[in-house]
Amino acid sequence: METQLDPMKDDLPLLANTSYMLVKHYVLDLDVDFKGKVIEGSIVLFLETGSQHRKTSSAGKECCQSQFDETCEMRASEPCHIPMINVPTCSSKTEYNDFAISGKEEEATADESSNHSNNEQASGISSSKDPCDIENHGNKDFLLVLDCCDLAVLKVEEVDVAAVSGIEKLIRPAKLTGVSQELENLRNQIVHELVTLPADRWKEQLHYSTLCSQAPGCGELVFSTGTWSLEIRKSGIQTPADFPHAIRIWYKTKPEGRSVAWTTDQSGRPCVYTMGSPINNRALFPCQEPPIALSTWQASVRTAAGFVVLMSGENSAEPVQLREGVLSWYYYVSMPMPASTFTVAVGCWQEVKQQSFKQTAAIETNTEFPLPSSQTDFRWHEETCGHVEYPCRFQNPAARLQAVIPYRVFAPWCLMESCEEYLLQLIPQCLSAAYATLGTHPFSRLDVLIVPSNFSSLGMASPHIIFLSQSVLPGGSHLCGTRLCHEIAHAWFGLAIGARDWTEEWISEGFATFLEDIFWARAQQLSHDEIKGQQELKALLRWRRLRDEVQNSEEELQVLRPKKESTGEFSESGASVVKYGLKAEKIFMQVHYLKGYFLLRSLAKTIGEVSYLASLRKFVVKFHGQLVLSQVWVNCRKYLPELAGHFWNTKGICCLCKQNMYQRYFHTQQPLLEEGETWKECQLVQQVSGEVTKWTQTNRRIRKSSKKKMKQDEVVFQQLLPDQLVLLLESLLEEKTLCPRILQCLERTYQLREQDAEVRHRWCELVIKHKYEPGYGDVERFLREDQAMGVYLYGELMVNEDAKQQELARKCFAAAQEHMDASSAKVVAEMLF
């Protein structure tokens, strides 16, 4: 019996049968239609047989090749408007017919496959029925299963890659003479040769992938779509090895599709972008979602003139005008990544530029950062990489010395000045600090985009591009800098090194949260004492947040490894589920960020920060380009023998396992509450405690003598750092009653309306708790402009059972609901109605 999954309540299904076939490369050819709110076109999939049915296996360990030239020339390809990689080519008389293969097989295939299906059917994970055993008219036809949702699939066809002129050069003579006379085998052999070209021929690989993607179809394939999948078969084909290895899918997205958001930017202009949906990219293109399905891609996207297309590609694309009013943008990647990392944003973005002398000065200032890495660390880079073959920056001598990679900033027109004030100057500082900490940047360039106000997070990192919420811009450089550092850290942890099981998101978020503090301290060039003070203050704030979340959330959502010993396991076909992946409230939780952070903080304190950062640099060199599980840390002697000097004492005892540290962090709510006393010695915390005492004493004095006005000079309050202000306001939230005059004085003393979003959020909490009506405008503004952080405030407005506050909540939700992401809207609606 098949398991039926509720798309709004249960775990996220990953149905792609990756054990039988793997997508190695995607070629997308798409048009963006803002009027109809659809993206339509085609995607060509180049496939290889998977581990369960691979007929042959390559001997020896694949290693990384050096890439000495990361740039390539582009020129427009008129027929399909996809730029071509310039590669050495020579004219050849060998054409399609020179293979001397009969066309009868092709004709028969076309006739058999002309009757295809596009009927909706329920889809789920079956424990008793294997995709390879699905019967059709008495035959056991192989079924290719792709992850797919909210897409209108129009046609699926086999691609005749053998018709590409000159393609025979890919097949070595020995293989050509021994190839079967069946056309399907030849096509599959061509695809195999194409996707297994060595890394130093990556330009040639892109060139021929483009040509093959433009080849004609040679017969339609039978397909059907379900709630979560697209299933494709070819009549009479019973094994993955014989299934077509190059297929083209014609499709269009749906306006309600959950992988992209159609909205307007802050200047009121239309835009569409991938907003980090819980269902990932399956509503943008049919794909294989499991992290293990690493692939490369190239994409040509056409849109009306005036729009800019940004993508998670290696190249900084320049538009090509196809005809009047239509531009084409082309991007590609040569590093295999999960399909979930594919990112696109189309809008009237403006590039934010700075006077050249300012940018030069900023870069020069930050390249002075001392590198903690020793020459021994850099010799690691010269060793063989452990990942599948691709052009790796860790093997590129020039890339290893690049402290600041090329970067650009894009934003809606109305936010350009705000971006220039802080963000543009912070990027080189943060990139340099990251390089000083971890070494080689895994990606060759970086775009930063300020996304629309409906973005449900403060930031999101993808290869070569970072999305930031507008909420990081106001109130100085602190929130902008810390969030930028967090997203930059994901280049190493989350992207270059990914979790093999998505339930282990702490591997990405815990490391990024820990490294955020390291990067930001170095970017500010703080003294040792200043660094220690800021990090202890930050740790206290995170401990308070984690304590509150643990006390007010479902226990099952607090476990870092919810699948425990079955983490990383999947069915024979490769299908699996992401546990709790569709719980709407989960995207607002920070347990995995915070518990992961405290685990890493404990490790750093145990072995010393210097030794710990040295071990992280070695870890990056060892595991970049690979997927890992928590088991790497649990069985550290087995997986990390190079780090023995850091993790084992002289008696051979692992200092990480000695205290049963992993069990405490991974599978329980501990070790939270016992750490609350450790920050009392921090000077910054002590300073806040003194200010809290002043405010509470003043509040009591005013309440006792309400007829007397409070004189401004009665109490002198100190100016505080942004994180100190957060702690101050959180401490004052614990007071049962604050009188209106105290709240008024509080706002004026610290100019709370001008502070960053973290501070303003706590101010709004105070306003709501004490029903301070002069501050209701601040709450309304926050819910409108800071949607990435405002969901919690809706609940606070409702829980007080105050008519004015509830009216305010409903008014704000009505104004924002249309453009809210689905998860946010669902959670807020449950609070209000």
Side-chain angles (χ1 to χ4, degrees):
M1 180 179 177
E2 292 190 352
T3 303
Q4 298 301 316
L5 295 166
D6 186 332
M8 295 304 292
K9 290 184 179 180
D10 297 305
D11 304 334
L12 175 67
L14 306 177
L15 296 181
N17 51 349
T18 53
S19 294
Y20 298 116
M21 296 204 81
L22 279 172
V23 179
K24 305 299 289 185
H25 188 70
Y26 298 93
V27 179
L28 297 98
D29 189 45
L30 303 173
D31 291 277
V32 180
D33 176 10
F34 279 99
K35 186 176 180 180
K37 293 186 177 180
V38 297
I39 299 173
E40 59 184 320
S42 67
I43 181 170
V44 175
L45 280 57
F46 295 91
L47 301 135
E48 277 274 82
T49 52
S51 58
Q52 290 288 341
H53 283 267
R54 189 172 293 133
K55 288 186 175 180
T56 59
S57 59
S58 56
K61 181 180 180 182
E62 293 179 310
C63 62
C64 178
Q65 299 293 322
S66 298
Q67 179 195 11
F68 296 100
D69 181 12
E70 292 188 82
T71 62
C72 62
E73 297 293 328
M74 299 289 182
R75 62 181 174 85
S77 171
E78 287 299 319
C80 287
H81 316 297
I82 300 177
M84 308 287 284
I85 304 296
N86 281 342
V87 295
T89 57
C90 57
S91 59
S92 173
K93 295 182 180 179
T94 307
E95 297 292 341
Y96 176 61
N97 290 334
D98 289 338
F99 286 115
I101 295 175
S102 170
K104 292 181 180 180
E105 177 69 22
E106 178 186 358
E107 293 172 4
T109 301
D111 291 340
E112 290 173 1
S113 302
S114 61
N115 181 22
H116 64 276
S117 166
N118 191 25
N119 297 326
E120 289 280 340
Q121 66 179 34
S123 178
I125 297 178
S126 170
S127 58
S128 60
K129 184 168 64 174
D130 193 286
C132 262
D133 296 329
I134 294 178
E135 297 187 9
N136 180 64
H137 304 299
N139 298 320
K140 294 183 179 180
D141 288 341
F142 169 74
L143 197 66
L144 175 66
V145 182
L146 301 174
D147 294 300
C148 174
C149 179
D150 300 335
L151 292 179
V153 179
L154 309 175
K155 184 172 77 170
V156 182
E157 62 182 358
E158 182 177 359
V159 179
D160 190 4
V161 295
V164 174
S165 177
I167 196 68
E168 72 281 353
K169 289 184 297 206
L170 287 181
I171 303 182
R172 292 182 287 276
K175 292 195 174 185
L176 183 60
T177 56
V179 76
S180 167
Q181 294 300 298
E182 293 184 8
L183 188 55
E184 281 78 4
N185 286 355
L186 176 60
R187 293 177 185 135
N188 288 354
Q189 183 63 42
I190 290 172
V191 173
H192 173 74
E193 295 294 326
L194 176 61
V195 300
T196 57
L197 282 174
D200 57 2
R201 295 175 67 184
W202 66 273
K203 296 181 185 179
E204 186 179 1
Q205 189 176 53
L206 280 176
H207 169 74
Y208 280 112
S209 295
T210 300
L211 295 181
C212 287
S213 72
Q214 299 169 0
C218 56
E220 294 187 23
L221 302 176
V222 181
F223 70 91
S224 62
T225 56
T227 305
W228 291 109
S229 66
L230 169 64
E231 299 176 345
I232 304 169
R233 65 179 177 84
K234 181 174 181 178
S235 297
I237 298 300
Q238 300 178 19
T239 67
D242 295 328
F243 188 82
H245 283 30
I247 63 173
R248 181 185 292 115
I249 303 170
W250 298 88
Y251 73 98
K252 64 168 64 175
T253 64
K254 297 179 180 179
E256 67 274 16
R258 287 167 281 168
S259 290
V260 297
W262 298 89
T263 186
T264 55
D265 66 20
Q266 292 85 340
S267 296
R269 298 175 178 176
C271 61
V272 61
Y273 69 106
T274 48
M275 70 290 193
S277 168
I279 68 167
N280 298 309
N281 284 321
R282 65 183 69 191
L284 178 58
F285 60 92
C287 57
Q288 292 181 330
E289 287 277 26
I292 197 172
L294 303 177
S295 60
T296 53
W297 60 264
Q298 60 193 96
S300 181
V301 179
R302 291 171 294 279
T303 190
F307 288 92
V308 174
V309 179
L310 300 176
M311 299 182 75
S312 48
E314 293 175 18
N315 57 313
S316 299
E318 294 294 335
V320 174
Q321 183 170 343
L322 303 181
R323 57 184 182 277
E324 186 175 357
V326 179
L327 298 178
S328 179
W329 302 74
Y330 173 77
Y331 288 89
Y332 65 86
V333 296
S334 60
M335 175 181 176
M337 299 286 291
S340 59
T341 63
F342 179 93
T343 304
V344 62
V346 184
C348 299
W349 323 122
Q350 304 291 316
E351 184 173 359
V352 182
K353 296 184 178 180
Q354 199 175 47
Q355 294 182 17
S356 58
F357 74 89
K358 290 184 180 179
Q359 190 167 1
T360 302
I363 295 175
E364 288 176 352
T365 297
N366 289 285
T367 51
E368 295 176 0
F369 289 167
L371 287 181
S373 307
S374 66
Q375 291 301 315
T376 303
D377 293 327
F378 280 98
R379 282 197 294 271
W380 271 66
H381 295 182
E382 299 171 8
E383 297 182 3
T384 300
C385 296
H387 52 68
V388 296
E389 192 176 7
Y390 67 82
C392 178
R393 286 176 55 82
F394 285 79
Q395 291 289 330
N396 184 332
R400 295 204 303 268
L401 298 175
Q402 195 173 24
V404 179
I405 56 177
Y407 62 91
R408 304 182 298 177
V409 175
F410 292 86
W413 177 82
C414 65
L415 293 177
M416 292 181 67
E417 187 175 341
S418 298
C419 291
E420 187 173 348
E421 184 177 7
Y422 292 114
L423 177 58
L424 205 58
Q425 302 172 45
L426 287 171
I427 293 175
Q429 298 173 18
C430 297
L431 287 172
S432 293
Y435 174 77
T437 305
L438 294 179
T440 307
H441 288 281
F443 302 102
S444 59
R445 69 176 194 93
L446 176 65
D447 281 344
V448 178
L449 172 66
I450 303 298
V451 287
S453 58
N454 71 335
F455 188 49
S456 62
S457 173
L458 286 179
M460 183 178 77
S462 300
H464 312 100
I465 188 169
I466 287 173
F467 289 172
L468 288 180
S469 165
Q470 66 178 19
S471 296
V472 307
L473 297 178
S477 63
H478 179 72
L479 180 58
C480 187
T482 55
R483 196 65 204 191
L484 184 61
C485 286
H486 182 98
E487 303 307 332
I488 288 173
H490 278 309
W492 287 268
F493 290 94
L495 295 174
I497 301 173
R500 203 169 82 194
D501 189 309
W502 278 338
T503 60
E504 293 202 307
E505 57 195 288
W506 81 268
I507 294 175
S508 172
E509 298 300 350
F511 273 99
T513 303
F514 176 81
L515 289 167
E516 165 191 324
D517 295 350
I518 306 295
F519 292 179
W520 182 232
R522 288 181 171 172
Q524 297 174 92
Q525 300 185 357
L526 301 177
S527 68
H528 177 270
D529 289 342
E530 289 173 322
I531 291 173
K532 184 177 180 181
Q534 285 196 13
Q535 291 182 353
E536 288 299 304
L537 173 60
K538 198 76 173 183
L540 173 56
L541 290 173
R542 288 172 178 148
W543 178 84
R544 292 170 63 93
R545 191 173 308 171
L546 181 56
R547 177 197 62 189
D548 293 344
E549 197 159 292
V550 165
Q551 293 172 352
N552 295 285
S553 62
E554 299 177 46
E555 186 172 349
E556 63 184 8
L557 298 181
Q558 300 171 19
V559 179
L560 294 189
R561 300 183 75 211
K563 295 166 69 175
K564 298 185 179 179
E565 298 310 314
S566 63
T567 301
E569 295 181 2
F570 44 82
S571 69
E572 182 182 350
S573 70
S576 62
V577 298
V578 180
K579 200 167 183 62
Y580 312 125
L582 291 174
K583 278 188 173 288
E585 62 270 28
K586 188 174 183 294
I587 68 170
F588 304 107
M589 296 181 62
Q590 297 192 37
V591 165
H592 291 78
Y593 291 69
L594 300 175
K595 291 186 75 173
Y597 158 79
F598 280 110
L599 168 61
L600 300 175
R601 174 180 159 88
S602 295
L603 300 185
K605 291 175 70 175
T606 300
I607 67 174
E609 185 173 290
V610 174
S611 294
Y612 185 62
L613 292 179
S615 73
L616 285 189
R617 288 191 293 277
K618 292 183 177 182
F619 183 87
V620 166
V621 172
K622 182 179 180 67
F623 286 104
H624 71 273
Q626 300 174 66
L627 303 171
V628 298
L629 295 171
S630 296
Q631 205 67 17
V632 170
W633 287 273
V634 175
N635 294 335
C636 44
R637 182 181 289 274
K638 175 180 178 182
Y639 293 103
L640 303 171
E642 300 88 351
L643 309 185
H646 297 298
F647 290 97
W648 283 277
N649 61 26
T650 55
K651 296 181 180 180
I653 299 175
C654 175
C655 61
L656 311 182
C657 304
K658 181 180 178 181
Q659 304 172 32
N660 201 20
M661 192 176 293
Y662 293 114
Q663 175 66 22
R664 293 162 64 213
Y665 279 91
F666 287 157
H667 301 138
T668 70
Q669 292 184 359
Q670 299 298 323
L672 306 175
L673 302 180
E674 73 269 18
E675 298 211 34
E677 302 296 315
T678 63
W679 297 283
K680 285 187 175 181
E681 302 303 317
C682 174
Q683 185 175 354
L684 294 179
V685 175
Q686 291 175 348
Q687 186 179 0
V688 173
S689 298
E691 297 304 294
V692 171
T693 300
K694 292 178 187 178
W695 283 107
T696 55
Q697 290 177 347
T698 304
N699 179 62
R700 285 195 293 269
R701 187 167 62 249
I702 291 177
R703 292 185 64 203
K704 287 180 180 179
S705 55
S706 58
K707 293 182 180 180
K708 297 180 181 180
K709 292 185 177 180
M710 175 182 176
K711 294 181 180 179
Q712 193 67 39
D713 58 352
E714 285 183 357
V715 182
V716 177
F717 296 103
Q718 298 185 41
Q719 291 301 307
L720 301 175
L721 298 172
D723 282 340
Q724 287 181 298
L725 279 176
V726 172
L727 181 58
L728 171 72
L729 298 180
E730 286 186 358
S731 300
L732 291 177
L733 273 166
E734 296 172 359
E735 291 294 308
K736 185 176 181 180
T737 304
L738 293 178
C739 66
R741 275 187 289 168
I742 280 291
L743 292 170
Q744 182 185 50
C745 183
L746 191 67
E747 195 286 317
R748 289 178 178 176
T749 299
Y750 302 114
Q751 297 293 300
L752 295 179
R753 293 187 175 100
E754 308 304 318
Q755 296 293 338
D756 67 37
E758 292 281 7
V759 176
R760 287 186 287 110
H761 186 278
R762 272 65 172 193
W763 166 241
C764 289
E765 289 183 71
L766 276 173
V767 167
I768 294 170
K769 176 176 179 177
H770 299 291
K771 302 179 182 179
Y772 181 59
E773 293 190 19
Y776 284 3
D778 299 333
V779 176
E780 182 175 356
R781 172 190 165 201
F782 196 94
L783 292 177
R784 183 178 66 251
E785 298 179 2
D786 299 285
Q787 294 182 34
M789 303 174 64
V791 169
Y792 173 78
L793 293 180
Y794 281 104
E796 293 298 294
L797 286 168
M798 298 303 293
V799 76
N800 273 346
E801 297 185 354
D802 178 84
K804 288 186 178 179
Q805 291 191 1
Q806 292 181 349
E807 180 184 357
L808 176 60
R810 294 189 177 100
K811 172 186 173 183
C812 293
F813 182 58
Q817 181 178 10
E818 180 183 357
H819 294 287
M820 267 189 176
D821 75 278
S823 295
S824 298
K826 180 176 183 291
V827 169
V828 174
E830 290 176 352
M831 294 176 180
L832 302 188
F833 306 108

